[in-house]
Amino acid sequence: MSETLLLGTRKGLFTLVDDGRGYAVTDLAHAGIPVQYAMRDARDGTIWAALDHGHWGAKLARKRVDGAWEEVQAPAYPDGEVLKTGAPATLEQIWIIAEGGEDNPDRLYIGTNPGGLFVSEDRGDTWELVRGLWDHPTRLGGMGWFGGGRDTPGIHSILVDPRYNERVLVGISCAGVFETADGGATWIPRNHGVTADFLPDPTSEVGVDPHFVAMSPTDPEVLWQQNHCGIWVSRDGATRWTAVHEPEGPAKFGFPICVHPDKPGTAWVIPGISDGKRMAIDGKLMVLRTDDFGETWTSTSEGLPQENAWDIVFRHAFDNRGERLAFGSTTGNAFVSTDGGSRWTSLGNHFPPVYSVRFA
Amino acid sequence: MHDACHREPRSDEPHRNLIERDARPLHRIHGLHFRQAARRHRSDGHPCYTASMAHVHFTHHLRRFFPALGDPEPVDAATAAELVAALDARHPGLAAYLVDDAGRMRKHVNLFVDGEMVADRERLSDALSPTAEVYVIQALSGG
């Protein structure tokens, strides 16, 4: 059985297929156009790509099974919606596209900058702003949501509970994790225990910066987040988070995090030095694994470059399917492991900067 | 009158799906101030090259996404906003490439009218002469 990888890069969407003899690039779509994120909807086989034209704005494209790529209407912010600055809210970036769950086969979500979550109930033909989250009083009130690395806040993580699809958690930079249990009508912040050392009040409920949030598919009460300020895990459905990073690293700063599909206590991160030094530690690329809910972290680096490697891996550029893992870096390297990260094989060293990696 | 004046949009226009799918009025897609222009141009299906129309020249980069763009494309419009709305009526989705959700000119897109850059990038209220030569260009950017 073949395995397929989608690499969203600054210069297009690369498809890599492993037919049993190793991965090879089989297709390049949207050549020359930045692909911020790409994924395959396992429910109907549609491949989705978030295009980030520098000049023409953020666009949305899809490729149905055996079909050609087509552009579909991207989400648009309603008239009169404003940012905290008072400026009109307009679509700046499509940051993530997510399935809406098995119970809602026509539902998809999109997370965007400047902070709007959009939902489609017709497989992406039309999109609607999720009002309950956009109108949450914390977005404009008090400190408000704000940008982390960009001018505006953005939604990068969307997690649908496989047991009950009306429960959804999102990760927002910078605001934190929010949860709905009623399909998006009402939302509550879920950041107890997460701290943000860059804030005037480091224990503020809203304003923290999860870089990426992952949910255990077998135990959706277990959630992991690689945060700007460390790594946290929750074992009670995000009610309370526990810090599990190493104060002096290497398990501390980074962007992506993966959780094992069958073992909720097993997760992987790819560390950088710090927020002020977003680069691989000591010029050595490594992946860290825990099998005990973050009590201990083990470095795995066999097959990864161990000198003059300064790669950083973005939040969507690391994915796993069982013990098979893959990641790509902003310096155009990509690697795969089929044994839980013990040994890594290069997929190529000259890709454009990699923004997203997803098993298809 | 030339045959080319009555050229129908090409059937392989990749954005034609937007016409069928999007039932929202045009102003909702591209900003409130396009409403009047949309009303004015919605039935304008047959552009005709006459001396009393503005003529729009497009950067070749846009032809990748809208291969049916005219070269130049004649448009009857009194303002830059009307021009964008009229173009979108013929090439659905095109306005979203030029302006954002609120109808503002995208940051790295420029409209030149008779050699002058459009001044009102918020509402595109700049008036067009009946024979305006309009250029749609993109700012240059690095690799």
Side-chain angles (χ1 to χ4, degrees), chain A residues 30-61:
Chain A
H30 311 291
I33 299 170
V35 176
Q36 192 68 46
Y37 189 82
M39 55 83 82
R40 176 179 177 272
D41 186 337
R43 300 168 304 176
D44 65 2
T46 301
I47 295 173
W48 290 89
L51 311 182
D52 193 12
H53 292 272
H55 299 84
W56 314 118
K59 308 296 178 200
L60 182 61

Side-chain angles (χ1 to χ4, degrees), chain A residues 39-43 97-102 107-109 158 160:
Chain A
M39 55 83 82
R40 176 179 177 272
D41 186 337
R43 300 168 304 176
I97 307 163
E99 298 177 17
E102 294 292 335
R107 183 180 295 174
L108 288 156
Y109 291 104
I158 301 170
V160 177

Side-chain angles (χ1 to χ4, degrees), chain B residues 97-143:
Chain B
Y97 278 65
L98 308 180
V99 298
D100 66 17
D101 306 3
R104 301 175 301 181
M105 184 69 66
R106 290 196 181 279
K107 190 175 179 182
H108 299 298
V109 177
N110 276 325
L111 273 187
F112 283 87
V113 178
D114 294 330
E116 298 286 333
M117 195 187 299
V118 160
D120 180 5
R121 296 179 63 87
E122 297 287 318
R123 300 179 58 79
L124 280 68
S125 62
D126 295 49
L128 306 184
S129 71
T131 57
E133 291 293 321
V134 180
Y135 283 79
V136 179
I137 68 164
Q138 63 177 37
L140 300 179
S141 61

